[in-house]
Amino acid sequence: MPEIDLTDLTLRAKNGDTAAAGELYEQCHQDIYWYLFYRVGDAQTAEDLTAEVFLRMLRGLPNYQPQGKPVEAWLFQIARNLAIDHYRSNHHEEPIELKENQLVEPGEVHNTVEKTLTEEKLRRALEHLSADQRDVIILRFVLGMPIAEAARTINRSQDAVKALQRRGLLALRDLLANWEVSYA
Amino acid sequence: MRDPDELLQQSLDALESGTPLEDVLNELPEDSIEMVELIRLATAVRALPHPQMVNAAEQKERILSIARQATIPVAKAKSSSPWFQRIFAAPAGRWAFSAVAVVLIAFAAVLLTGSPKNVRAATVMDLSGQVEVLVNSQWLPLEEGDLVYAGNRLRTGQNASATLLFYEGSRTILSADSDLTLAVVDGAQGNVLQVVMDQTAGTTEHSVVPLRGKDSTFLVRTATGDASVRGTSFEVSILNSHSRFKVDKGMVLIYNDQNAVLLTAGQASTSSDDLSITDPAYEFRLVGNVTAIGETEWAVSGVTFTVTPQTVIASGVELDSYVVVKGRTVDGERIADSISFVNGNQKPRLTFTGIVESISDTAWVIDGQTVIITNETMIQAGLAVGDAVEIRFYVAENGDWVAEEIERLDEDVITPTPEDTETVTPEVTGSITPEVTETVTPTVITTIDATPTNDIACVGADPQPTGMTLAMRYGVPYEEIMGWFCKHYGFGEIDLAYTLAQASGKTVEEVFAMRESGMGWGEIKKLLQPEPTAKPHPTQKPHPTQKPHPTQKPKPTKKS
């Protein structure tokens, strides 16, 4: 997320400054989109949900009060809820969480020639992580969010995020190894 | 041995601060093959290109357009009214339209008499003040009898209110300054009602007729927590960054992604934007004049209560203001959630709820509070110690609380009356939508053949997603998890109990027994998990021994 003071932008948007609302969108939409893309796995759905995140933000602006929690955390919370709702409304089960001794069959996902890590392989692998692990991997390594900010965003302690980070990476490593996908 | 989570984070910190990858790897202890792999993987993920949005510019314009409209003050839409409104503008048009409508309705009724179909609307009733619906980006005034549908966003102005009546008798009352979007309004044969609404402002009250079948839903969503019910009466208020839920009858499940609590009659709870939900607590409600304002202690009609930084106080409230205070009694302390000016003509009224602790001829103790009983006190017959009751009282000159009325809190679910359903007659007003294909068939429900048990009512969504997750996580039946939940344990507590049971070798029953003996979770945790090591995650299992690794994977560089 950017260095610009998003709280100030949000307060201005709350007071009817549409330029501030536009700037808020500019600053945040890409991260929100990436987050949603890796959560829902479909570019068009992610775009639609990104729009919904900002629409809900607009609806929530009259009640917005800065209370120490970053605006990004608010937006990601909306995005997380939307991603969950998306699964529910489409009658999907929550993605199958990978137990650490339960690997996916290689042929299930990877019958392509390419054996290097791509965004698509990452997305598919993330589907097999727990929701919390997936959130942490996306926030930390796709969006490059510092550990403290990631912790605030998903409302966990930094220690919990560190644990989720390692377990998530371990699960990813095992999946990619099983699929014979290299990443170094 | 160093904590691997911490070691990994330190290495990632070093990378983030610009240290070259190989240098970071060289700094690792010798036996850090796994750590090397994880750091390389993290680096690879960070280096991946990620997809770009295709329509960001258009999307931004669309959102900005809505933002501009949102700043327009509430007003009736001007000109460019839809065709059906223009028809209605002329008396002849109204007559003609009404005639057509009557014919169409009669035709529809004939078609539908034998086979009621889905009902996807709520009827607007008891309108007072400015109540509007957003149609094509314009706020249009609602009128008595209008139908509103899924997707409609409604709002009430200052001192305004309205009731939404759903086809099987459930009702939602929107108080002043409320903002509500109907996400789902659906019905089906056999009175299966599905209602989902998103509330972003104000206060709503809901009376839900017992829902039937597993597909039925009545859900009120807010930004910080959702209220799911199957037959009850409850209230939802948006208070800045948190939502407040209060139950009048029956039970309501309040939940968000991280927490869940079950409220019973007389209880209230709040959910905050950090996804915390307060424990259920009995409510007090004071309608009267402010008689004292201190730094943290205020009084209304002589009843003192605590004001916290989270208390939402309407601007302009001062000594002698006529207000309504909504709060909860938490560990014996009355904490105000909100203090607002009284809307309408509410009379002074002081009430609180709680469990009867002792009964005598002259005084009762309820939730730690003594109330004086006089000859004038009206007491519902059959009340006994342990009952949950609501007390209406006044404060005597000597400071005593004198009970005016004591009645049992009704935990029974609401039963519909014929009046509820007879009023649902299809009307075509033409003011909101040109559709005249409404499939409402008047239904008179006289009996309830599926009275929900407490078990059903406490489950909320069926199946409850968090319950399912926990059941899968711990490999136990879903019913077992929900059994604990229905004993008023939150999902967080259940999660913790199973984790502690696994870690300690005790049974879950033993862990809950410790809790029920009065021990705090902190004490239990300390006792069962004495070492300060990281809590073993329930899904953490031994790594597969024959895990294939990528052949291209470089060997770690060990520190010499």
Side-chain angles (χ1 to χ4, degrees):
Chain A
M1 283 283 186
E3 296 297 320
I4 290 174
D5 185 348
L6 296 180
T7 303
D8 178 57
L9 278 180
T10 310
L11 285 172
R12 282 166 47 203
K14 177 184 177 178
N15 292 326
D17 182 346
T18 47
E23 185 60 22
L24 206 51
Y25 178 87
E26 279 298 326
Q27 294 297 332
C28 301
H29 81 271
Q30 189 63 74
D31 280 355
I32 297 291
Y33 172 71
W34 279 340
Y35 172 79
L36 285 166
F37 173 78
Y38 284 106
R39 281 296 305 256
V40 303
D42 174 71
Q44 186 55 52
T45 304
E47 286 210 6
D48 293 345
L49 292 180
T50 300
E52 185 60 26
V53 167
F54 286 94
L55 291 174
R56 289 193 182 193
M57 181 202 75
L58 288 179
R59 286 206 293 269
L61 272 179
N63 299 315
Y64 173 76
Q65 287 201 331
Q67 292 178 328
K69 193 163 183 178
V71 176
E72 308 93 294
W74 178 30
L75 294 177
F76 276 110
Q77 187 54 55
I78 298 173
R80 288 178 85 200
N81 291 342
L82 282 172
I84 292 166
D85 285 350
H86 171 74
Y87 277 106
R88 286 178 186 160
S89 62
N90 285 278
H91 304 292
H92 291 182
E93 297 298 326
E94 271 288 306
I96 303 156
E97 295 180 10
L98 179 71
K99 304 294 182 286
E100 294 188 22
N101 60 352
Q102 171 201 333
L103 295 175
V104 177
E105 289 301 313
E108 199 177 300
V109 180
H110 292 269
N111 45 13
T112 58
V113 177
E114 191 171 9
K115 292 291 186 182
T116 56
L117 181 62
T118 61
E119 141 247 311
E120 173 63 12
K121 289 188 176 66
L122 173 64
R123 187 188 64 69
R124 286 174 178 265
L126 285 172
E127 285 177 4
H128 295 274
L129 269 58
S130 74
D132 284 342
Q133 289 174 357
R134 192 166 55 230
D135 276 353
V136 169
I137 297 294
I138 297 171
L139 296 177
R140 291 281 292 125
F141 306 120
V142 175
L143 308 185
M145 202 177 264
I147 201 94
E149 196 178 327
R152 278 199 303 271
T153 299
I154 65 168
N155 200 34
R156 294 293 193 96
S157 68
Q158 291 192 32
D159 283 345
V161 172
K162 287 172 191 171
L164 285 166
Q165 173 177 263
R166 194 173 71 84
R167 288 204 299 270
L169 283 172
L170 280 168
L172 266 187
R173 180 201 65 175
D174 293 347
L175 271 168
L176 296 174
N178 195 42
W179 297 344
E180 298 179 358
V181 173
S182 70
Y183 48 82
Chain B
M1 189 178 155
R2 294 179 67 182
D3 177 2
D5 296 339
E6 197 57 48
L7 180 61
L8 173 63
Q9 182 52 40
Q10 283 174 5
S11 301
L12 294 171
D13 283 342
L15 281 173
E16 285 162 18
S17 63
T19 308
L21 174 62
E22 293 308 317
D23 291 354
V24 171
L25 298 181
N26 283 334
E27 286 298 315
L28 292 171
E30 284 188 11
D31 57 345
S32 305
I33 298 175
E34 180 180 278
M35 199 59 69
V36 168
E37 292 170 357
L38 299 189
I39 294 168
R40 286 194 185 281
L41 175 56
T43 308
V45 173
R46 279 192 173 149
L48 274 180
H50 302 296
Q52 300 293 316
M53 275 185 71
V54 179
N55 298 314
E58 292 168 23
Q59 189 175 97
K60 180 184 171 186
E61 272 316 302
R62 192 151 45 92
I63 288 164
L64 284 184
S65 157
I66 292 168
R68 286 185 200 103
Q69 289 162 11
T71 62
I72 298 169
V74 177
K76 287 197 174 190
K78 300 181 183 113
S79 67
S80 68
S81 47
W83 62 270
F84 49 89
Q85 283 195 330
R86 290 199 297 273
I87 290 175
F88 259 60
R94 281 200 289 272
W95 280 109
F97 195 92
S98 301
V100 172
V102 167
V103 171
L104 283 173
I105 290 169
F107 182 64
V110 169
L111 283 178
L112 297 169
T113 301
S115 59
K117 293 181 181 176
N118 288 353
V119 180
R120 293 183 287 275
T123 309
V124 180
M125 299 167 54
D126 304 330
L127 272 175
S128 168
Q130 189 169 30
V131 182
E132 298 170 308
V133 60
L134 190 63
V135 177
N136 296 329
S137 304
Q138 287 188 311
W139 286 104
L140 301 175
L142 279 166
E143 292 174 7
E144 193 81 12
D146 278 345
L147 298 174
V148 288
Y149 299 84
N152 280 159
R153 182 180 168 192
L154 317 175
R155 69 179 181 186
T156 52
Q158 204 175 8
N159 296 322
S161 64
T163 297
L164 304 181
L165 176 62
F166 299 93
Y167 81 103
E168 42 63 278
S170 294
R171 294 163 189 251
T172 291
I173 300 173
L174 285 76
S175 300
D177 300 316
S178 295
D179 193 324
L180 184 79
T181 300
L182 295 170
V184 176
V185 180
D186 207 350
Q189 195 163 6
N191 296 312
V192 175
L193 178 69
Q194 293 184 323
V195 172
V196 179
M197 53 184 82
D198 295 305
Q199 184 179 341
T200 55
T203 296
T204 56
E205 296 168 50
H206 310 266
S207 299
V208 182
V209 169
L211 303 180
R212 299 172 177 200
K214 65 182 177 63
D215 294 329
S216 57
T217 309
F218 196 100
L219 178 65
V220 182
R221 301 187 295 205
T222 74
T224 59
D226 302 343
S228 173
V229 302
R230 294 184 69 84
T232 186
S233 170
F234 66 108
E235 175 189 276
V236 180
S237 303
I238 308 297
L239 305 170
N240 287 348
S241 62
H242 59 278
S243 305
R244 183 179 193 275
F245 305 89
K246 191 257 171 167
V247 176
D248 294 315
K249 292 179 180 175
M251 290 188 272
V252 176
L253 178 72
I254 311 299
Y255 65 93
N256 55 33
D257 288 345
Q258 291 187 7
N259 292 294
V261 300
L262 185 71
L263 299 185
T264 56
Q267 292 184 326
S269 176
T270 60
S271 62
S272 303
D273 56 4
D274 63 0
L275 297 190
S276 61
I277 301 179
T278 61
D279 288 337
Y282 281 101
E283 196 203 42
F284 68 90
R285 192 169 289 217
L286 314 171
V287 179
N289 294 99
V290 178
T291 49
I293 295 182
E295 194 173 335
T296 58
E297 190 173 275
W298 287 39
V300 163
S301 300
V303 179
T304 57
F305 54 87
T306 302
V307 170
T308 72
Q310 284 71 45
T311 305
V312 176
I313 304 173
S315 67
V317 170
E318 55 188 11
L319 266 179
D320 210 35
S321 292
Y322 189 50
V323 298
V324 56
V325 180
K326 296 178 186 176
R328 290 164 293 128
T329 306
V330 181
D331 297 330
E333 183 182 13
R334 285 185 294 278
I335 296 173
D337 292 321
S338 68
I339 305 173
S340 54
F341 288 105
V342 172
N343 276 320
N345 299 317
Q346 269 185 287
K347 291 179 179 169
R349 182 184 168 92
L350 309 177
T351 58
F352 75 101
T353 56
I355 302 293
V356 178
E357 293 172 359
S358 74
I359 293 177
S360 77
D361 290 342
T362 55
W364 288 29
V365 178
I366 297 154
D367 225 24
Q369 175 68 47
T370 300
V371 290
I372 306 297
I373 306 298
T374 70
N375 290 336
E376 314 293 310
T377 306
M378 291 183 290
I379 301 175
Q380 185 174 348
L383 288 181
V385 170
D387 284 346
V389 294
E390 181 181 72
I391 302 94
R392 184 162 55 82
F393 67 99
Y394 67 89
V395 181
E397 284 183 6
N398 65 358
D400 282 348
W401 288 19
V402 180
E404 293 179 300
E405 185 175 9
I406 303 176
E407 61 179 355
R408 192 192 314 274
L409 287 165
D410 188 0
E411 296 197 356
D412 293 337
V413 291
I414 299 160
T415 52
T417 62
E419 181 202 3
D420 285 331
T421 48
E422 279 171 349
T423 54
V424 188
T425 46
E427 290 181 31
V428 178
T429 64
S431 62
I432 299 305
T433 164
E435 290 180 35
V436 276
T437 54
E438 178 53 34
T439 57
V440 178
T441 48
T443 313
V444 179
I445 303 169
T446 52
T447 57
I448 298 297
D449 60 12
T451 306
T453 64
N454 284 357
D455 283 347
I456 294 171
C458 82
V459 169
D462 187 15
Q464 213 293 331
T466 310
M468 291 290 283
T469 303
L470 289 179
M472 283 191 288
R473 178 179 297 169
Y474 294 104
V476 298
Y478 167 75
E479 291 73 18
E480 181 179 321
I481 297 290
M482 296 314 294
W484 293 115
F485 183 76
C486 291
K487 288 181 178 173
H488 293 208
Y489 287 106
F491 286 120
E493 290 180 293
I494 297 168
D495 192 4
L496 182 60
Y498 275 87
T499 301
L500 290 173
Q502 285 192 346
S504 65
K506 287 192 175 295
T507 65
V508 176
E509 287 77 10
E510 287 173 308
V511 177
F512 278 121
M514 293 168 79
R515 175 67 177 156
E516 283 172 10
S517 73
M519 292 176 71
W521 283 114
E523 284 177 274
I524 299 169
K525 204 171 169 184
K526 205 176 286 180
L527 202 67
L528 299 181
Q529 210 178 34
E531 290 122 48
T533 49
K535 182 179 80 173
H537 192 276
T539 58
Q540 200 164 335
K541 293 180 181 172
H543 280 282
T545 50
Q546 52 207 20
K547 176 182 60 203
H549 284 269
T551 50
Q552 306 92 320
K553 188 179 61 194
K555 295 289 176 196
T557 310
K558 291 185 182 174
K559 188 183 175 185
S560 58

